[in-house]
Amino acid sequence: MASRLLKTGLGGWSIDELVAYLKTGAAKGKSTTLGDMAEVVHNSLSFMTDADLRAMATYLKSIPADSSLAGRGAVQKVPTQAATLYVDHCAGCHQAKGRGLPGVFPPLAGNGVVVAPDAANIIKVVLGGVPAKGGYIPMPSLASQLSDAQIAEISNYVRTNWGNAAPANVTPQAVAELRRTTPAN
Ligand code: HEC
């Protein structure tokens, strides 16, 4: 995903190349998308307008290489498994600190869906995705990429980070139950 893109450094990319990459999954003379990123392009980014993609490319270029992957400064925390899952499966869109991208990806920090006492909605969003609404592009279903235990871990992670203070009460059993009844959007 975008985080993997960042790791290899975007310094050598022009905004136009980035836009082409995000839009089509390929840029001349640069890497082509594989795996997760191809899915993201296929499911989501190819529906974005050129203006959205340009805003996103400009934003991505403004981030120093690797900044999304680990805390910087004196204390280097080893990321937990939940943090790593979040980086690999969510941060490419919702960003490292859950702040989202204005007009493109909603923030998860301070988000009512995320911190609701009943966690059913966040589980359903991850399982089923979200159709485009409120000016946002659609979110792809991640049901086929993540196990029940992984979805529980990620949900509890976003419920308890960046100032979110909801109970970490999502269990793999709850995810398994909702998986049976949540259609992919
Ligand atoms: C390909 C980009 C992408 C990825 C990856 C992604 N999301 Fe989303 N997410 C979105 C978009 C876009 C929306 C808004 C959809 C809409 O409302 O139209 C959204 C909406 C949400 C919402 C609902 C927010 C609200 O205010 O309604 C939650 C919760 C959420 N995502 C959590 C996650 C979690 C957790 C992950 C990782 C497991 C994740 N997302 C991965 C793009 C993404």
Side-chain angles (χ1 to χ4, degrees), residues 38 46 56 62 94 96 98 109 180-181:
S46 53
M56 193 169 161
S62 73
H94 293 286
R180 284 197 286 274
T181 53

Side-chain angles (χ1 to χ4, degrees), residues 23-93:
K23 188 171 187 153
T24 64
K28 270 212 188 92
K30 307 278 182 194
S31 60
T32 43
T33 51
L34 293 166
D36 284 355
M37 189 66 199
E39 284 273 295
V40 170
V41 168
H42 177 75
N43 288 328
S44 230
L45 296 174
S46 53
F47 297 115
M48 289 170 74
T49 66
D50 284 359
D52 288 342
L53 289 171
R54 191 154 288 273
M56 193 169 161
T58 307
Y59 173 83
L60 287 173
K61 253 190 95 78
S62 73
I63 307 173
D66 256 1
S67 69
S68 69
L69 297 178
R72 306 202 138 222
V75 187
Q76 279 277 350
K77 279 201 288 182
V78 178
T80 61
Q81 184 173 321
T84 305
L85 283 169
Y86 175 80
V87 167
D88 285 351
H89 295 278
C90 319
C93 294

Side-chain angles (χ1 to χ4, degrees), residues 7 29-31 34 51 67 81 101 151 154 173 179:
K7 194 155 49 171
K30 307 278 182 194
S31 60
L34 293 166
S67 69
Q81 184 173 321
L101 196 54
I151 292 177
I154 294 179
Q173 290 72 21
R179 194 187 278 275

Side-chain angles (χ1 to χ4, degrees), residues 86-141:
Y86 175 80
V87 167
D88 285 351
H89 295 278
C90 319
C93 294
H94 293 286
Q95 306 301 310
K97 302 256 182 294
R99 279 193 297 252
L101 196 54
V104 186
F105 304 119
L108 300 182
N111 186 307
V113 171
V114 171
V115 299
D118 177 355
N121 282 330
I122 181 174
I123 300 172
K124 283 188 206 161
V125 163
V126 176
L127 284 171
V130 191
K133 64 173 162 56
Y136 290 120
I137 60 168
M139 171 169 155
S141 159

